[in-house]
Amino acid sequence: MSDPVRFSLDGATALITIDNPPVNVTSQAVRAGLMAALDAAEGSGAARVVLTGAGRAFVAGADAKEFDAAPVAPHLPDVVARIEGFAIPVVAAINGAALGGGLELALACAARVAAPGATLGLPEVTLGVVPGAGGTQRLPRLIGLGPALSLISEGRVIGAAEAAKLGLVDALAEDPVAAARDLALPERPATGAMPAPAADPAALEAARAQAARRAKGQEAPRLAIDLVAATTSLSMAEGLACERETFLTLKISDQAAALRHVFFAERAAMARGRKGGAEITTAIVVGGGTMGAAIAYALAGVGISVALVETDQAGAERARANVAKLYAEAVARGKSSPEAAAAAQSARHTYHAGYADLPPAEIAIEAVFEDLAVKKAVFAALDAALPETAILATNTSYLNPDLIAERLRNPGRFLGLHFFSPAHVMKLVEVIRAATTSAETLETVLRLTARLKKIAVPAGVCDGFIGNRILTRYRQICDVMLIEGALPAQIDAALRGFGMAMGPYEVQDLSGLDIAYANRKRMGWATLPGFRYIPIADRIVDETGRLGRKTGAGWYDYEGGKASPSALINQIVVSESSRAGIARRSFTDDEIVSRAITAMIEEGARILEEGIAASPADIDLVLVHGYGFPRWRGGPMHYAERTGLPEICARIEGFAAADPLSWALPEILRRAADTGRPLTDLTRTS
Ligand code: NAI
């Protein structure tokens, strides 16, 4: 391996190049290398030091591998302090991403030159910490309180042009190293010696309100705002001490651990798409409704030609209009020019009634009505129309892919591809391994989902796969709490308080009560032996016809689009309790959260036991990216392990003692709790 930091002398300029591929993170070897390079510069007679990065990045942040370890000297603040106080002026030549610790190094320099394509930011809060090497103290001194607040508390990453406008960089140059060598140094003290920024109560208040809204429950953004605010009252030394203390405390916090867990799980999921497989250039999508149109739009967005198939000409025209609407939205949001949108629509999309004269395709994705007979007919037609090598995928939510795939000529190329709505926006996709799916098929599809920038989670076949199966279980347990004494609005508020994006009843009103209703009928819940059936949701559909927002009423009443608790629904809930002979009792919010989240954990454990998910982290990705589980709690399985599996087991045993029809302790949880081994180790691999 080459040196992670290189030193060279060119006339009066000492060039220090950080070369720690792929993105020059500030690992211990880099920090030590920087110290050594500064030593070399000191005795070199150079009049200026230029600091830059090799390859595409300047320095993209800290080394993720060191996140969980105790810090080893030299620490980044030491390097930063040495650069700022260095006898020879150091100029940062920001050739690419300068993020987190990378930007903190640059802030300590006497001046900064950036390439036009460089990106800059302090995204630490997204990992549950604050900048730990002076970022919160130097940035406000350099660019003012308001702009610094917006960058630090949201973890926003900006381009070089915006950075230049803010005064964060002194010049833009195609060759930042050459420009840094020649730059006339600005007349100003070192960043840390600049006067405190002017107080800005309005900006502070706005940042606090924004954090309370967008980062509810999270510590890091709030503490980051406090640190930035402190620049107006504390000395640099005091401010740095506060920042370091906050950084070290947050680094070992539950929230930072959870955010790191999700970050690593996402990286692992992305990496699965780089294992091989063939490149897809042409596709067929069958069904151009909500899902099909959005899937076609997403495929075309990465350059794939898409033929959309409907049963008749009117359907094809509806599909064309659905796709056109997505392009129009992109234009309205400034994401595409009208010309580019028109060009993409004519170059990449065709619409067809039936399967005659279809262009060639390497993959066909089916998104027709959720009906087994309809889907089987579609795959029979695709099987006949396409070569045996074309991959066939179904976007079914609940149907058994193994049944859909029956009688295909080459069932190895069949699988499920469960997108979430809206499919061009939601990052999650469950990749369902049918009994017959071949490894090559999986690899090619994972390569495609990576290209679509999706987080692909492989799952085995079971009812609802990973996400909808856990959702069903979670709702069922919430319904049990309804009949025992809670009301919908209280359950929703309690789970929002935990951090769920929405409560379970609000979500049902949004997506429509009919979907879950049909699903309960299909599963035969009302007559399922050994199952505690709560008829409240069925009664709402049967007796009131309220299907949620689309009918203007559901679990809630809606006036002017605003939800309010419904007397009618509450009365149905209470009458069901008395019909079941249950004396209603009050629930605390903690009790509601504990039961509902434990239900998710219990179902997740069964999913691991059955080998449906490959790892607990995959389950966490599904819940965080598809179901509004708070990222900063890491997903249900991470949350369970952080809470302690013995505690989770005790809870389940307690629930089971009171309600044996609804609860039983999964063996994998008992074993993990007894042995102290992580769930990952005990997961069945299939
Ligand atoms: P949709 O009703 O909006 O669209 C279905 C489309 O399929 C319609 O345009 C219809 O004309 C067309 N179609 C029906 N039979 C056809 C046939 N034999 N050949 C060609 N086209 C046909 O339904 P949506 O919401 O797009 O759902 C489609 C599938 O995706 C379903 O299996 C659903 O369970 C699944 N899904 C839906 C999600 C959602 O949130 N809407 C999320 C994930 C999966």
Side-chain angles (χ1 to χ4, degrees), residues 55 69 88 152 313 315 326 570 632 644 656 662:
I88 311 165
I152 294 173
Q313 204 51 46
L326 298 173
N570 290 353
W632 50 274
S662 299

Side-chain angles (χ1 to χ4, degrees), residues 286-291 309-311 318 367-370 374-375 378 395-397 418-419 421:
V286 188
T290 309
M291 295 304 288
V309 181
E310 281 269 345
T311 35
R318 269 199 318 273
V368 304
F369 300 139
E370 185 77 346
V374 175
K375 291 200 192 277
V378 165
N395 181 47
T396 183
S397 308
H418 185 217
F419 289 89
S421 186

Side-chain angles (χ1 to χ4, degrees), residues 335-430:
K335 297 223 160 182
S336 167
S337 69
E339 296 76 27
Q345 284 178 86
S346 65
R348 306 215 182 105
H349 293 274
T350 56
Y351 299 88
H352 308 260
Y355 300 82
D357 307 323
L358 283 181
E362 293 133 347
I363 189 169
I365 301 173
E366 166 276 316
V368 304
F369 300 139
E370 185 77 346
D371 179 297
L372 184 60
V374 175
K375 291 200 192 277
K376 285 183 89 153
V378 165
F379 281 100
L382 286 171
D383 201 19
L386 295 176
E388 232 183 307
T389 48
I391 292 176
L392 303 179
T394 173
N395 181 47
T396 183
S397 308
Y398 288 100
L399 299 174
N400 183 341
D402 290 334
L403 299 181
I404 299 175
E406 275 174 2
R407 287 198 286 276
L408 290 180
R409 273 181 299 164
N410 169 10
R413 45 57 187 272
F414 176 86
L415 83 174
L417 207 42
H418 185 217
F419 289 89
F420 287 70
S421 186
H424 60 301
V425 176
M426 295 287 282
K427 286 187 91 72
L428 180 65
V429 54
E430 289 178 317

